[in-house]
Structure formats: C-alpha cells, structure tokens
Amino acid sequence: MEISSGGSGGSGDMGTRARGAAVDGTRALVLAVVGLSGALVLYVLAVVSLLLVPLGVGIVTTPWVLAGVRGFADWRRVVAAEWCGVRIPSGYRPVPVDANPWARCFGLLSDRATWRDLIWLQVDMTAGFVTAVLPAALLFYPLEGFALAAGLWRVFTDGTYVGWWYAFVPVAGQASALAAGALGIVFLVASYHLTPPLLRVHFLLTRAVLAPGQGELAERVRVLTETRRDAVDTSAAELRRIERDLHDGAQARLVAMGMDLGTIEALIEKDPAKAKELLARARRSSADALTELRDLVRGIHPPVLAERGLGDAVRALALRVPIASEVNVDFDGRRADAPVESAAYFAVSEVLTNAVKHAGADRVWIDLRHSDGMLRIAVTDNGRGGARIGAGSGLAGVERRLGTFDGVLAVSSPAGGPTMVTLEMPCELS
C-alpha cells in the first residue's frame, strides 16, 4: 500500500507540474505579445509627447501618456506578484489630483521612477520580449514538430528535396519528419523543466529595471516621511470626524432624551398620557443613539475584526456589499497584528466601495493569502474599468494608508474592465 501511495503521489506531482508548465508557457506567450505591442506603442507615444513639450502640446498630453506607462508597469507588477511571487516596488511620487497641467507634467518628469519606466519600455520590447517568448516557444514549438511527423511535411515537399526546416532538422521526407517529431519531444521535456524558471527570469529582469536603484535609501526615507505625515493628518482628521459624529449624532440624541425625561418627570402625575408619549419618544431616541454609537464604533474598529480576524471581517464586509461577491482566504485561524488588520480591512472596504459606486460592477472576487512574509489581497471586479490611483476614486488614500505599513498598491484597470486592485503589506501571522 505504501508503494502504491507513493507512486500515485508522484504521478499527481508530475501532473501538477506539467499543468503549471503549460500555464506558465501560455502566460509567457501573453507577455510576449502584449508586452512587445504595449511597450512599443507607449514608448513611441511617450517620445512624441516629450518632443511636443516645448511647443506646449506635450504639457497636456505627457501626463496622460505617462499615466498609461505607469498603468502598464503596474500591470506587470501585479502579474509578477501573482504569477511568480516576484515583488516589484513602485516608488512613484504622488501627484496632487488638483494640480494644473504644467505642475502635473513637470512633477512627473522630475520623478526618477518615470525615467525608469521609459528605460524599462526599451528593455521590455527587446530583452524582455526574448525572455518571454523563449518559454512560450518551448511549450508551443513542439506542436509543429508533431504536425510534421503526422504528415504535414507533405505540404512542403514530395520527398525529393528539403521543403522545410524544423529547428536544425531539414525535413525532406517521413524519416526526417519523424526526427522533427522526436526533437519536438525534446523541446516539450525541456519546457516541462525550464518554462517556470524562465518565466521567473523575465520578471526578475523587469524588477532589475523597474525597482529603485542607488537612490533607494533616500527614496525610502522620503516615502516614509510622507506616509508618516499622511498618517498623522489622517489620524487628526479621523479624530475630528469622531468628535463631529458624536456631537451631531449620539450626543444630540442623548441631550434630547434627557430633556424629554425631565419633562416626563414633571408630567407624570399631571398628564400621564402625554408623559407616556414622551417616554416612548425617549425610548426611540435611546435606541437611535445606541445604533449610531454602534455604527461609530464599527467605523473605528469593527467588532468582528477584533474578535474573528481579517478573514471573517472581510467576509462580513462582502455580505454587506449589494453585489455578488466571492471571498477566498488561505490563512484562516491565523492573525496579523491589529494595526495591519485594520489597515487592510479599511483598504478593502474602500476598494469595494469604488467597485459599487464608480465601476458599475455586479460581481467582485476577493482573494486573501499570506506567503513569503507578505499579506496579499487581490480585489477584482467586472466593472467598466478605467480606475487609477489619484483619479479621485479614493485609491490614493488607500495607497497612503498602506504606505504607513511599508505596503504597496497596484491597479490594473483597462477600459472596459475588469479591474484588479492588489494590496501587499509585509507582516507575520501568528
């Protein structure tokens, strides 16, 4: 029984690995096609727009083109993390939403991350294309060898001359076609072993170009300074909101209830009917005040988050969303630090709000997982797309919230959808 079990497990592992190689090869083909075309188009648009800056036209067009470049780079960051676990930090400087075109244009051009993106476009359409097309070729090129061995060689030759080359094999008849098929098997075996690491090489090359280089420490200090200031400002604004909600809501109701009780005390013997009416109103006021206090507490730190953890809290949050939702959590029973859970919870809440209010989605998928010391949350909706950080959708606030914990936010949202928002924060579970 032990021998049988071991053999079955080995076959299952081989099947899983083969499927993984097939999936990675298909992903590599997508990267090769989309990467080459996208990088080429965006690079040409960026160069033309930059040349038009002295004429004034580029001041208006450059921010839009560079936003497209950043969106393309962010999409690559998302798939690098999702497909191969390669984390690529962005380090973009925030640009004020209300900035005029001049400030926005030169703010983007003064950001070193912008120039890294433009260099990466050149690398992606050359070396990046090669590192993407190679694993795809190892997976799909054997199909041609098999087709030749099955008789396709007759389309190119009648057996009297070399009518086709398969790699280094000249195909001139059935024997050489079978040799091409054998070579295809060699390529397929190589794909089984080499496709996943080759795809990872592509993303490592991307990280080598896109990730901050020598100025990373200074950039990190700057980002931490900004996120600390944002955290202080956010905390002060949150305290003012709580004070305002208490003053305008529960406090006002409690004061009114106190006045009603005073009136009831005076009328209890003189006018029992009126006192009974005021007593019923006081009871309603106390219930309303209690509801508002519960809502206020839920807005500060939801009880389900404190009691059950992030996974169950996000499930409860998804149940309150007025669209179909699916939540997948792979760390049930384990907890992150309370501040990290709180930041992740409210970040997911903001992303879901955007999906409902702005994206016009009717379905959303939420995936929470923890690996390599990173908490990763992906929120995908089938809405109209077009979301971007700094577009007034609240994603800029989410990015600032995550930045306080050294987290990053990536958005992939082509026009027409779908939209995928990926959140990452370093943390350990216990």
Side-chain angles (χ1 to χ4, degrees):
M1 292 179 65
E2 292 180 358
I3 294 175
S4 175
S5 177
S8 176
S11 299
D13 291 342
M14 291 181 62
T16 301
R17 186 169 179 178
R19 286 192 295 272
V23 170
D24 285 344
T26 305
R27 289 170 171 174
L29 180 62
V30 172
L31 284 174
V33 175
V34 176
L36 178 62
S37 56
L40 183 60
V41 170
L42 287 171
Y43 185 73
V44 171
L45 290 176
V47 170
V48 172
S49 185
L50 290 174
L51 292 175
L52 293 176
V53 167
L55 301 179
V57 178
I59 294 176
V60 178
T61 60
T62 297
W64 292 99
V65 174
L66 293 182
V69 173
R70 288 189 175 187
F72 188 61
D74 282 338
W75 172 75
R76 192 63 58 88
R77 291 183 176 96
V78 170
V79 297
E82 291 290 328
W83 293 354
C84 286
V86 177
R87 181 171 176 262
I88 307 174
S90 57
Y92 293 123
R93 293 181 184 176
V95 179
V97 178
D98 56 350
N100 58 52
W102 180 276
R104 181 178 292 274
C105 176
F106 288 97
L108 289 170
L109 294 179
S110 64
D111 189 352
R112 284 181 294 180
T114 296
W115 300 102
R116 282 198 301 269
D117 286 351
L118 295 178
I119 294 173
W120 167 70
L121 289 178
Q122 301 176 59
V123 174
D124 195 49
M125 69 178 72
T126 52
F129 174 76
V130 173
T131 56
V133 79
L134 185 57
L138 285 176
L139 176 66
F140 293 103
Y141 193 44
L143 300 179
E144 181 183 336
F146 301 153
L148 290 170
L152 184 64
W153 64 272
R154 293 184 177 86
V155 176
F156 307 106
T157 180
D158 58 4
T160 61
Y161 63 93
V162 175
W164 191 260
W165 284 81
Y166 180 72
F168 53 82
V169 176
V171 179
Q174 185 61 47
S176 54
L178 290 175
L183 183 58
I185 294 176
V186 173
F187 286 144
L188 197 60
V189 172
S191 173
Y192 175 82
H193 293 283
L194 298 179
T195 293
L198 285 175
L199 181 62
R200 184 174 177 84
V201 166
H202 171 85
F203 290 122
L204 292 176
L205 174 65
T206 302
R207 183 173 67 181
V209 181
L210 281 182
Q214 296 180 349
E216 184 175 5
L217 181 59
E219 185 76 7
R220 182 74 191 119
V221 171
R222 181 193 62 79
V223 172
L224 286 175
T225 302
E226 291 184 356
T227 54
R228 182 184 63 182
R229 184 175 61 249
D230 289 338
V232 172
D233 293 343
T234 301
S235 297
E238 186 69 9
L239 287 174
R240 289 193 297 270
R241 182 190 69 82
I242 294 172
E243 182 180 286
R244 183 178 62 253
D245 289 347
L246 284 173
H247 181 272
D248 297 341
Q251 179 179 324
R253 293 187 183 278
L254 291 174
V255 170
M257 186 174 65
M259 295 175 63
D260 287 343
L261 290 175
T263 305
I264 291 170
E265 187 178 9
L267 294 176
I268 192 68
E269 296 181 356
K270 298 179 180 179
D271 192 349
K274 183 65 175 179
K276 185 177 180 179
E277 179 183 342
L278 292 176
L279 189 60
R281 189 169 70 180
R283 186 185 299 111
R284 289 194 299 271
S285 295
S286 66
D288 292 341
L290 182 60
T291 300
E292 291 185 358
L293 287 173
R294 285 174 176 169
D295 292 340
L296 184 60
V297 170
R298 186 179 295 111
I300 299 172
H301 194 76
V304 66
L305 181 61
E307 297 171 3
R308 303 290 299 274
L310 180 61
D312 286 339
V314 171
R315 289 190 181 100
L317 184 64
L319 289 175
R320 296 199 298 269
V321 175
I323 59 177
S325 60
E326 181 178 331
V327 181
N328 179 40
V329 182
D330 77 341
F331 53 83
D332 285 333
R334 294 184 294 165
R335 300 288 300 270
D337 292 338
V340 173
E341 287 190 335
S342 180
Y345 174 86
F346 286 108
V348 172
S349 176
E350 180 65 35
V351 174
L352 291 178
T353 300
N354 284 349
V356 174
K357 290 186 176 180
H358 306 294
D362 57 22
R363 189 169 185 84
V364 64
W365 297 265
I366 309 169
D367 183 71
L368 296 88
R369 62 183 65 249
H370 183 272
S371 61
D372 302 325
M374 297 293 298
L375 172 64
R376 294 185 175 92
I377 304 175
V379 182
T380 307
D381 68 67
N382 62 349
R384 65 177 63 94
R388 63 185 180 90
I389 300 174
S393 61
L395 293 178
V398 173
E399 185 179 44
R400 289 193 298 270
R401 183 188 294 272
L402 298 181
T404 307
F405 298 89
D406 200 19
V408 295
L409 174 72
V411 179
S412 174
S413 183
T419 295
M420 173 183 283
V421 180
T422 304
L423 306 85
E424 288 191 356
M425 287 191 293
C427 74
E428 295 296 334
L429 301 182
S430 59

